[in-house]
Amino acid sequence: MQTHEIRKRFLEHFTAAGHVEVPSASLVLEDPNLLFVNAGMVPFKPYFLGQETPPFATATSIQKCVRTLDIEEVGITTRHNTFFQMAGNFSFGDYFKEGAITLAWSLLTTPVAEGGFGIDPERLWVTVYLDDDEAHDIWANVVGVPEGRIQRRGMEDNYWSMGVPGPCGPCSEIFYDRGPDYGVEGGPVADEDRYIEIWNLVFMQNERGEGTGKGDFEIVGALPKKNIDTGMGIERVAFLLQGVENVYETDLLRPVIDTAEELTGARYAAGGDAAAEDDVRFRVIADHSRTGLMLMLDGVTPSNEGRGYILRRLLRRIIRSARLLGARGETLVALLDTARATMTPSFPELAENWERISHAAAAEERAFLRTLETGTRLFDEAAARLRASGGSRLSGADAFTLHDTHGFPIDLTLEMAAEAGLGVDEAGFRELMAEQRARAKADNRAKKRDHGDLGVYRRFLDEHPTEFTGYDRLVDESTILGLLSGGAEVPAAAEGEEVEVILDRTPLYAESGGQLGDHGRITLPDGSAIEVTDVQKAGKRLWLHRGRVAAGEVAVGSLAEARVDPAWRHSAEQAHSATHLIHAALRQVLGPDAVQAGSLNKPGYLRFDFSWAQGLTPEQLREVEQVANEAVDADWTVNTIETSLEEAKAMGALALFGENYGERVRVVEMGGPFSMELCGGTHVAHTSGIGPVAVLGESSVGSGVRRIEAYSGMDSFRYLSAERLLAERLATEFKAPSAELPERIAALSEKLRAAERRIADLTAAQLRAGAAAHLDRAEDLGAVTYLGLRLPEGTQAKDMRALADDLRRRLGDRPAVVALAAEAGGKAPFAIAVSDAGVAAGYAAGDLVAVLGAEIGGRGGGKPQLAQGSGADPAGIDAGLAAVRARLAGA
């Protein structure tokens, strides 16, 4: 049974039982505790946590999930994937244990001809929590599972929570027995390689307190409503129903392995110890290709932090694995294309986004191949230093630096070291990696937020979600429904207090879609007032007005007038509308692959992030600015259309990746096909109301992502006016028309550079001329001659390096060390050189730089003959030169 058929049967089974089918959410959600959606229940968390009331009593979904905590373990086991599809059914206070158990059992065991999966009931085992007699009895007496195939397990295995205070409860897991060829008898408690878990039924009935880990927390009480959350792994069921050995041999992943075989010339499952490592690499390629594809589909782009860093690691592990299997040249796009072909039947949106994804992948592969070149050069330098010092094993620190700082994979370091006849301190490397992982996990735990944070708003979300009236008005009559201070409800607040205000209706815009929340004022009839400096949302439907009581006292239940600061709103609307024009202009100039990756709009200013592999030329940037201003000059009406999501897509409206849209959406259109986007923000009435748009520049914010910054309205005018004034002053200073300024300035700059070169040449010549005199100051320390000099202030690093090398050569018939340092621009550049005889005697400049650097707060590096660096504390120069002398004298 193909994977797409398994998905179809699952959804049909539960919709026939009255469940509402909910489409998969994006892998990227606004959740402070998650980089990616990692479980099927994540989109339903607000309902389970009591933060929102669910619009349905029961639901079913097949959710895209990504788990990346142990990326480096992928492929070693054959049943875990970083990307997987979690099929689930959910009950919010409706059916409980018996309903969940019987629904799961019937789908698994119903014959294929009748719409089920047709699994032999004799193959199925179940586990329940230690004291969950209710679930045990349902399995035994209602379903009829023999007592011998029902096992009880402890909290680590059969009790579920989110890891922080919130809902929890016992669970029951369903396992499939693969038979005696795969392990020992005795059920899941004996062997989870033979007995594969395929479905987990969570009975959410309790609330947990503080604690860490899976089992060391207190159960503080019962939930007011009992809920069901189940998860069936589509990939695991697929490999069992398709009769293959593991998830990598299913219809979704095996084709990627086949493509990898073609690209590398290696063979999967070839047998033998050496081939076992290759098999892991094939599985890494298959797994990461699909995960990378799905992450990029949902708008993630490779970068050096957060989600983008995870994606970059995945893509680079693919490239690395393919290289280790024998591939040469670019392979990534071909592998992702195969993954696309297998996934498109379930995710048709892959087809329309493939061009964008393939371009981003190709750019990342080219960048990584350049990294490999750099890493190879750095490895060669490290290996040369190692041989010169008589060593034979690369340190763990060097291997870690190559990996962590330069992105050079440890596998390639090990491979190249072996080819060079060198070893690597793998234990030291692993220790440093473990320390880094521990820091990352500690940081992640610190960022986790209690799921009860939004519980204080639950009553308002259920009873009084905010009515937003700000599209049509800037002033509205309201009632204060709630006041919060310090995260708790208060009946009143006095002058000077910081508060959150909940109104029944408001014209103030709450921050979303990149547009900052409005500023404004809430005034009571008696003159009491609150200055609003920020507006945020809770649960997407409740507006939180944050500010300070500016006068009098405000109380819950009071009538009030909510007023938007009109200047703030007008400037914010100009910037937001200008953002749409910049987006449209970029797509006109660069093409449809220039898609939005994020934005920020505040009064008079915008920044717009977009997917693009290289920097824009000055000509392209000027054209983007011109196209945007032509749209302003066209004075198009800005139309807003409220329609269904499907109709909006049919109209061609652009959606922002990672956003979750409801069934009804708002389309903002400017100039017909020129700009049409899904957007909930506020906008000017006509494009001419934006005023001039001044592009400040563009820059990189990560691999494959660029950023444009611009001013709009009066801020744009003020910027352009200041630029004009600057040009006028320069024209007066240079006694030239403004149009000739670039040539005049370029000519002057070249004169200055030529003068600086002449000065530098003279300085270097003076230093060389005095080299002989310097030799008279060399000291005989017995085994080695030492020359330590503090050079004149302002001596440049390149001149110091040349002098050190010259002195080294002049002392070349004896073991000698030269150490030079100077103060230059508040820093302390230094150089150390060792004569050839000194290197032969065991002295290395690269080792001695650490001695000098320690005294001046600096570091450096280089080769055994010559190394250099710089420090932040010139006051330590004399002490540093003395420290080098002391080291040599004591050697």
Side-chain angles (χ1 to χ4, degrees), residues 397-600:
D398 280 343
F400 180 77
T401 299
L402 280 168
H403 171 85
D404 189 60
T405 304
H406 303 287
F408 199 69
I410 184 61
D411 286 359
L412 292 184
T413 299
L414 292 170
E415 177 187 359
M416 292 174 64
E419 291 173 354
L422 299 173
V424 178
D425 179 11
E426 280 193 75
F429 170 81
R430 303 294 176 194
E431 184 177 341
L432 290 169
M433 285 295 295
E435 290 174 5
Q436 184 193 60
R437 255 188 232 108
R439 287 193 297 271
K441 288 182 178 180
D443 182 58
N444 187 50
R445 285 194 297 270
K447 291 177 181 176
K448 280 201 171 186
R449 199 169 72 184
D450 192 324
H451 287 291
D453 283 356
L454 298 181
V456 68
Y457 305 119
R458 170 62 190 269
R459 175 172 63 85
F460 301 106
L461 281 163
D462 284 351
E463 300 173 8
H464 302 288
T466 307
E467 179 186 355
F468 176 61
T469 61
Y471 291 133
D472 306 312
R473 59 186 70 186
L474 298 179
V475 183
D476 207 346
E477 299 299 320
S478 306
T479 300
I480 297 179
L481 300 178
L483 291 168
L484 292 94
S485 179
E489 286 192 62
V490 294
E495 186 172 335
E497 291 187 45
E498 301 287 334
V499 291
E500 284 185 347
V501 186
I502 297 173
L503 303 175
D504 62 337
R505 53 194 283 123
T506 182
L508 284 93
Y509 182 80
E511 180 177 346
S512 62
Q515 181 176 338
L516 297 186
D518 276 332
H519 285 194
R521 192 174 180 90
I522 299 170
T523 307
L524 278 60
D526 65 359
S528 299
I530 301 165
E531 287 290 342
V532 178
T533 55
D534 186 25
V535 188
Q536 295 292 325
K537 289 183 185 180
K540 297 185 179 180
R541 297 186 300 145
L542 193 69
W543 268 234
L544 308 175
H545 304 76
R546 295 173 176 171
R548 182 182 61 84
V549 180
E553 182 177 271
V554 297
V556 173
S558 300
L559 296 176
E561 178 189 82
R563 180 181 295 269
V564 178
D565 179 336
W568 174 280
R569 170 68 74 84
H570 177 61
S571 293
E573 287 179 337
Q574 288 178 310
H576 199 163
S577 298
T579 302
H580 284 228
L581 297 188
I582 290 290
H583 189 190
L586 278 166
R587 291 171 65 81
Q588 181 171 311
V589 173
L590 303 179
D593 289 338
V595 296
Q596 183 172 355
S599 67
L600 172 70

Side-chain angles (χ1 to χ4, degrees), residues 84-103:
F84 57 95
Q85 301 170 78
M86 187 58 74
N89 56 288
F90 309 91
S91 168
F92 308 100
D94 194 78
Y95 63 81
F96 198 47
K97 293 182 183 179
E98 183 170 340
I101 289 171
T102 54
L103 281 167

Side-chain angles (χ1 to χ4, degrees), residues 860-883:
K863 298 179 179 179
Q865 290 86 355
L866 185 62
Q868 66 184 108
S870 181
D873 182 15
I877 288 176
D878 293 336
L881 295 171

Side-chain angles (χ1 to χ4, degrees), residues 56 75 187 194 196 247 255 259 435 597 620 786 805 808 828 830 843 874:
F56 30 64
R194 169 175 171 172
I196 297 291
V247 294
T259 298
E435 290 174 5
Q620 288 174 322
Y786 174 59
D805 193 44
R808 176 185 75 85
F830 63 90
Y843 300 99

